[in-house]
């Protein structure tokens, strides 16, 4: 008998049970987990609004007064480097009659609302509200833009819409220990590629997190460098997953110089990692690619691929050219993935599509699925 589990809309108990199986018996999430607007609405409530999300790098707003505007699940926010040196994330909706006080990015000492010119400082404190004499009991000093919980982690400005959320760093301490030698905090964004992607966010994350598809999707690119069959995923001890892709070659590929202090195997190998739900970092011997995911709806997400290098490498001879070469390679590989994801998205919509069996090489997807079910409040067996 088919029974709907009402805590995850549109998914049946049988479908959930197949996802919960040990990896060697496990199935993918059912198509409705990707397609359903009700599932997406529940993801927003149960996952996105309670998770730590990476909003910016400190090097993207390195100077006091610099800011970046974003939209977080219906909440317009800005990430601000305060003139006092602090990094904050706050609402950018005016406290008067709700006009946005900032758009895009830039550098300001004051944020002045374009509607009636209320002015806020870089901490979100209202400094001046013109022509408000006679508004009884009103005082600028009592007005501050709502602040969002923020944490700095390895050069990333993280934010969580849940004010009661536990701190991020302890949850990913074991994860971070894998990558200490890459010195993430000393890196800077050197190039950003942007994509508007017509798929559910999990289609991208799953594609990012397995090397099984190298044998077909990347047969002409990645497979000869990182064989699908050699990839491995350690057990995890928290809300994260690590895919290790050992290099097929002994020598380091030409191009950007390796990060100083890495072990020789770290200079050669590739790691694709996720801190759930969708903080994606790929570690190479030469730098890091940060796939910044912005889910928009069940069937759409925006993606920014930021390429990071150690700050000390920027001044090296030939760095600019090598960085462009790396960006071109990332773009080629991502276009191969776009093609695969487009096809998967069409297939998921087909009436006869059902859950498929996972390969043991897709352990990262299995790890994410177990976490997803727990967060979406599916009852345990
Ligand atoms: S809405 Fe911002 S000053 Fe009126
Ligand atoms: Fe891929």
């Amino acid at each position: 008998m088919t029974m709907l589990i009402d805590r995850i809309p549109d998914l049946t108990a049988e479908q959930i049970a197949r996802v919960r199986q040990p990896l060697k018996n496990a199935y993918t999430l059912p198509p409705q987990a990707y397609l359903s607007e009700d599932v997406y609405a529940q993801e927003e409530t149960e996952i996105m609004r309670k998770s730590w999300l990476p909003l910016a790098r400190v090097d993207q707003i390195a100077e006091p007064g610099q800011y970046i505007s974003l939209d977080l699940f219906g909440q317009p926010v800005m990430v601000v480097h305060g003139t006092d040196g602090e990094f904050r994330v706050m609402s950018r909706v005016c406290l008067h009659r709700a006009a946005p006080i900032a758009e895009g990015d830039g550098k300001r000492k004051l944020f002045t609302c374009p509607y009636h010119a209320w002015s806020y400082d870089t901490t979100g404190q209202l400094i001046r509200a013109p022509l408000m004499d006679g508004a009884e009991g009103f005082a600028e000093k009592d007005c501050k833009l709502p602040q969002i919980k923020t944490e700095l982690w390895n050069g990333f400005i993280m934010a969580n819409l849940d004010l009661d959320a536990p701190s991020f760093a302890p949850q990913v301490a074991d994860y971070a220990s894998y990558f200490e030698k890459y010195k993430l905090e000393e890196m800077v964004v050197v190039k950003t590629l942007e994509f508007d992607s017509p798929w559910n966010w999990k289609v991208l994350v799953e594609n990012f997190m397995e090397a099984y598809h190298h044998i077909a999707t990347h047969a002409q690119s990645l497979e000869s460098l990182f064989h699908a069959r050699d990839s491995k995923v350690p057990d995890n001890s928290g809300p994260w997953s690590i895919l290790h892709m050992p290099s097929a070659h002994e020598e380091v590929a030409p191009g950007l110089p390796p990060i100083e202090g890495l072990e020789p195997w770290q200079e050669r190998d590739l790691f694709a990692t996720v801190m759930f739900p969708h903080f994606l970092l790929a570690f190479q011997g030469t730098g890091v690619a940060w796939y910044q995911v912005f889910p928009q709806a069940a069937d759409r997400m925006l993606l920014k691929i930021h390429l990071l290098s150690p700050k000390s490498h920027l001044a090296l001879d030939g760095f600019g050219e090598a960085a462009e070469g790396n960006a071109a390679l990332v773009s080629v590989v991502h276009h191969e993935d776009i093609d695969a994801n487009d096809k998967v998205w069409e297939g998921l919509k087909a009436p006869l599509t059902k859950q498929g069996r996972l390969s043991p090489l897709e352990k990262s997807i299995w790890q994410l699925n177990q976490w997803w079910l727990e967060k979406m409040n599916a009852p345990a067996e």
Side-chain angles (χ1 to χ4, degrees):
M1 192 187 89
T2 301
M3 209 177 83
L4 277 175
I5 297 291
D6 57 6
R7 280 184 275 186
I8 302 186
D10 298 336
L11 267 59
T12 68
E14 286 143 355
Q15 290 171 330
I16 290 173
R18 285 186 206 113
V19 178
R20 271 199 207 288
Q21 293 291 313
L23 175 60
K24 63 185 190 321
N25 305 111
Y27 284 73
T28 63
L29 293 175
Q32 283 308 315
Y34 306 84
L35 300 172
S36 161
E37 289 292 346
D38 291 340
V39 169
Y40 183 78
Q42 184 147 323
E43 285 178 331
E44 265 202 18
T45 317
E46 298 300 332
I47 293 180
M48 304 307 175
R49 290 177 176 282
K50 295 179 179 173
S51 294
W52 285 98
L53 307 170
L55 301 195
R57 292 278 308 171
V58 295
D59 53 279
Q60 290 177 303
I61 48 172
E63 295 171 28
Q66 280 192 296
Y67 69 95
I68 294 176
S69 306
L70 299 167
D71 287 294
L72 284 187
F73 307 100
Q75 175 60 56
V77 302
M78 53 186 187
V79 189
V80 185
H81 187 167
T83 50
D84 61 355
E86 292 289 315
F87 292 91
R88 296 180 179 83
V89 181
M90 64 191 86
S91 168
R92 58 187 171 90
V93 176
C94 185
L95 298 173
H96 174 222
R97 278 179 38 225
I101 60 161
E103 315 258 14
D105 52 28
K107 187 176 172 187
R108 305 243 190 109
K109 285 205 182 86
L110 283 182
F111 293 91
T112 301
C113 180
Y115 203 173
H116 313 92
W118 285 23
S119 292
Y120 303 83
D121 71 11
T122 57
T123 73
Q125 177 63 50
L126 182 64
I127 298 298
R128 185 167 170 269
L131 306 180
M132 286 293 285
D133 302 339
E136 205 167 310
F138 174 82
E140 280 99 335
K141 68 173 174 33
D142 299 335
C143 301
K144 188 166 188 181
L145 296 169
Q147 305 284 306
I148 286 156
K149 200 173 169 104
T150 308
E151 188 170 319
L152 293 184
W153 181 83
N154 279 308
F156 289 91
I157 302 163
M158 309 292 300
N160 197 316
L161 291 167
D162 178 4
L163 287 174
D164 297 326
S167 171
F168 178 68
Q171 301 181 47
V172 294
D174 290 344
Y175 167 98
S177 69
Y178 273 82
F179 301 109
E180 262 166 15
K181 291 198 168 168
Y182 291 79
K183 299 185 285 280
L184 252 182
E185 70 284 358
E186 292 172 20
M187 291 194 182
V188 294
V189 174
V190 293
K191 177 113 185 154
T192 296
L193 311 170
E194 297 193 36
F195 302 89
D196 192 341
S197 309
W199 331 296
N200 184 269
W201 64 276
K202 297 188 292 302
V203 169
L204 176 104
V205 174
E206 293 175 0
N207 171 266
F208 187 87
M209 287 309 301
E210 52 91 353
Y212 184 22
H213 71 284
H214 288 190
I215 53 172
T217 302
H218 303 306
Q220 308 305 324
S221 55
L222 289 178
E223 175 59 20
S224 64
L225 305 172
F226 307 99
H227 298 320
R229 63 174 181 270
D230 296 335
S231 66
K232 47 200 174 190
V233 175
D235 291 339
N236 59 0
S237 61
W240 46 265
S241 183
I242 293 172
L243 168 70
H244 180 188
M245 292 165 271
S247 171
H249 303 284
E250 282 298 314
E251 56 304 331
V252 179
L256 292 168
I259 298 161
E260 272 165 44
L262 292 184
E263 301 293 333
W265 60 273
Q266 289 175 316
E267 292 185 359
R268 296 190 299 266
D269 293 0
L270 176 63
F271 293 84
T273 73
V274 56
M275 287 166 274
F276 303 151
H278 56 58
F279 183 5
L280 302 173
L281 294 176
F283 291 84
Q284 293 173 279
T286 55
V288 163
W290 168 29
Y291 281 50
Q292 189 177 23
V293 176
F294 299 94
Q296 302 292 302
D299 61 356
R300 183 167 168 241
M301 51 161 278
L302 303 175
L303 174 67
K304 291 185 182 179
I305 303 179
H306 305 281
L307 302 173
L308 283 72
S309 292
K311 191 171 187 188
S312 58
H313 285 186
L314 268 55
L316 295 176
D317 272 355
F319 175 82
E321 206 179 326
E324 285 300 325
N326 183 48
L329 180 62
V330 169
S331 180
V332 165
V333 170
H334 187 60
H335 278 92
E336 292 171 347
D337 285 320
I338 287 175
D339 200 35
N341 291 340
D342 280 344
K343 288 175 174 145
V344 164
W345 189 240
E346 287 310 306
L348 283 169
K349 291 187 267 188
L352 296 179
T353 302
K354 292 191 169 35
Q355 290 167 279
R357 280 295 296 270
L358 284 176
S359 158
L361 291 174
E362 294 168 306
K363 182 173 170 183
S364 278
I365 295 177
W366 179 84
Q367 288 174 333
L368 173 62
N369 288 349
Q370 305 313 307
W371 180 87
W372 186 87
L373 287 179
E374 187 190 317
K375 295 293 162 189
M376 293 288 276
N377 280 324
E381 293 296 297

